[in-house]
Amino acid sequence: MRSRTSLADRISYGQETIADLLGKMPTEGLRSNTLSVRRSYDEAIRNAIGHIECSALTTKDVATLLDAINKEGKMRWAQAIRCRINEVCNKGIALGWKEKSLAAVTERVKVKVIRRRLTLDEFKAILAKAPAVSDWLENAMLLALVSGQDRSTVARWERSAVKGDVIIARRSKTDVKVAIPTALRLDAIGM
């Protein structure tokens, strides 16, 4: 037997907007930094296509948004927005508000990485200027270089983290603890 949908249900179907869908995205269990970044993505999406009904969103709408961001030279931002729109569309599919993810069929944004590693000479030149910036910066830079830890991990180190012949570093992003020997040496800088 075939189920029948009333006229009222058919008229009301699809009136949920992309902005409504953004409000349904899960936030529990996420770190505050992740939430902050996602809020900025969501705000950009809401401003550009939030008024469009979920059922009326087209690939062209998504592509136009991404193209506008690309033309500003913000390729990494466009890449992140495309990824977020894909997550939002998948949530819409799960809620029954959308049929398919339109972001998935848009052209992938190509980002050319322009960062590179510092050379030892460049590091030493920056290190020489560190005392003028702050008293602690030189030590923090040397600790980061010798230990291979990121700045947020080094910034949270206290003397109490030294346990015998190791220092216990707790990675801020992953919360993983790493034991680093205090006898660790980096001969390139004589430490």
Side-chain angles (χ1 to χ4, degrees):
M1 179 173 194
R2 228 170 139 178
S3 65
R4 294 186 176 246
T5 308
S6 71
L7 179 59
D9 288 340
R10 281 183 281 166
I11 291 172
S12 68
Y13 176 78
Q15 291 183 343
E16 298 89 359
T17 64
I18 298 300
D20 295 332
L21 188 50
L22 287 168
K24 294 282 190 180
M25 295 302 290
T27 58
E28 58 275 346
L30 299 175
R31 293 181 179 264
S32 62
N33 190 42
T34 302
L35 287 172
S36 175
V37 169
R38 287 190 180 172
R39 274 193 294 271
S40 64
Y41 296 158
D42 293 353
E43 182 180 349
I45 295 167
R46 190 175 286 110
N47 290 339
I49 59 174
H51 62 283
I52 300 173
E53 291 180 3
C54 290
S55 59
L57 182 69
T58 65
T59 305
K60 185 177 180 180
D61 295 324
V62 177
T64 302
L65 168 61
L66 297 176
D67 190 45
I69 297 169
N70 270 331
K71 284 182 180 172
E72 292 178 25
K74 300 177 179 177
M75 275 63 104
R76 178 62 190 107
W77 180 253
Q79 192 178 50
I81 293 292
R82 180 182 183 270
C83 182
R84 183 63 175 167
I85 292 173
N86 194 42
E87 291 172 359
V88 170
C89 287
N90 287 337
K91 180 68 172 180
I93 293 167
L95 292 172
W97 294 6
K98 292 195 61 45
E99 293 292 320
K100 60 184 176 181
S101 176
L102 301 170
V105 295
T106 59
E107 186 177 2
R108 286 184 185 259
V109 179
K110 293 172 181 70
V111 177
K112 182 180 178 187
V113 177
I114 55 176
R115 291 187 304 180
R116 62 178 180 80
R117 303 280 183 215
L118 285 176
T119 65
L120 185 56
D121 290 335
E122 290 168 333
F123 178 82
K124 286 179 179 179
I126 296 168
L127 186 65
K129 303 280 185 186
V133 175
S134 184
D135 297 337
W136 53 264
L137 185 57
E138 185 178 12
N139 286 338
M141 288 176 66
L142 290 170
L143 274 172
L145 184 64
V146 172
S147 67
Q149 299 303 304
D150 61 37
R151 69 174 178 227
S152 60
T153 302
V154 171
R156 291 191 339 221
W157 273 352
E158 296 178 5
R159 293 192 191 280
S160 61
V162 177
K163 308 289 184 200
D165 60 348
V166 296
I167 183 168
I168 305 298
R170 189 172 58 88
R171 301 298 307 251
S172 59
K173 189 163 184 119
T174 59
D175 214 26
V176 170
K177 291 182 179 177
V178 180
I180 301 170
T182 55
L184 188 66
R185 288 194 46 79
L186 183 59
D187 292 329
I189 61 169
M191 279 192 79

